Amino acid sequence: MAAIVGKKLGMTQVFTEDGTRVPVTVIEAQPNTVTAVRIPDRDGYAAVQVAAIPVEERKLTRAQLGHLKKAGASPSATVVEFRDEAPEAQVGEPLTVEQFEPGETVKVSGIGIGKGFQGTIKRHNFGRGPVSHGSHNVRAPGSIGASADPARVFPGTKMPGRMGGGRVTQRGLEVFEIDAERNLLLIRGAVPGPKGGTVEVRSDG
């Protein structure tokens, strides 16, 4: 399974030979280093752990530095495990964007953009109330429960609150182009997260 951790640089557009405009997201994925390989007999599951995105040594704990040094990896801001039924990677092995091929289907995970505290119209796509004849219920959520019975609001009721900022996985994306010299992946369409956000790219199979 091909997998890599990178940084979302933003979106742009490229043109094919026939002049078709294609919107793409540019992901900078510098070589990741395999820091551990999990196997079912020893760990109970199969996975490959990688370290990515260089960071200053002073920003890591001694335990983190020791774990990375043991695997021959430089100080890294992110350590991620990718589940793999048959991991073939070796500890210390570099993983680059060359694992992927143009046209390959991938899934991208990241922390979605936070929207802050929002009302029910934006957060849950509620309809608004009437805006004429002195209505005071234009963007209010309306009734949220009964009166005497059950005399409470049920848990899970769709109400105003914090929106966004959670982990999002977008499946069925396509690798449009690879620039191995600059460690860039061009993914057709949009991927989760803000500019500069950390994203995980995996084969969607």
Side-chain angles (χ1 to χ4, degrees):
M1 179 189 72
I4 201 166
V5 178
K7 182 182 295 185
K8 177 180 174 180
L9 300 184
M11 292 194 69
T12 185
Q13 58 187 10
V14 294
F15 293 88
T16 60
E17 295 181 357
D18 61 359
T20 303
R21 181 182 64 87
V22 180
V24 296
T25 300
V26 183
I27 297 175
E28 181 185 28
Q30 297 187 17
N32 295 183
T33 304
V34 177
T35 53
V37 178
R38 310 299 186 192
I39 55 176
D41 294 342
R42 181 187 64 214
D43 305 297
Y45 65 101
V48 175
Q49 184 187 92
V50 302
I53 305 179
V55 71
E56 296 179 25
E57 186 173 318
R58 64 182 177 83
K59 295 186 177 181
L60 300 178
T61 65
R62 291 168 63 184
Q64 291 170 327
L65 289 171
H67 177 67
L68 294 171
K69 186 176 181 180
K70 184 177 180 180
S74 59
S76 304
T78 303
V79 176
V80 177
E81 282 192 0
F82 294 102
R83 292 293 181 109
D84 192 347
E85 295 180 358
E88 299 178 355
Q90 302 294 325
V91 175
E93 177 185 347
L95 302 178
T96 67
V97 295
E98 293 178 296
Q99 304 172 84
F100 302 93
E101 297 179 359
E104 182 179 354
T105 302
V106 296
K107 55 184 176 182
V108 181
S109 301
I111 302 300
I113 298 174
K115 307 294 185 180
F117 191 98
Q118 300 296 335
T120 53
I121 289 180
K122 180 170 182 177
R123 191 181 188 209
H124 299 297
N125 199 30
F126 278 19
R128 62 164 176 78
V131 294
S132 61
H133 301 290
S135 171
H136 295 281
N137 186 28
V138 177
R139 294 180 69 89
S143 175
I144 59 173
S147 178
D149 182 28
R152 66 190 181 95
V153 178
F154 288 111
T157 302
K158 293 181 179 180
M159 297 178 68
R162 290 186 62 184
M163 180 180 177
R167 181 179 172 87
V168 180
T169 298
Q170 181 67 46
R171 302 191 63 174
L173 298 173
E174 178 188 341
V175 176
F176 183 79
E177 188 178 330
I178 297 171
D179 188 340
E181 293 184 1
R182 296 189 291 174
N183 301 314
L184 298 179
L185 267 176
L186 272 61
I187 307 292
R188 183 191 293 264
V191 305
K195 291 181 181 179
T198 300
V199 294
E200 305 164 16
V201 184
R202 293 168 283 173
S203 298
D204 190 10

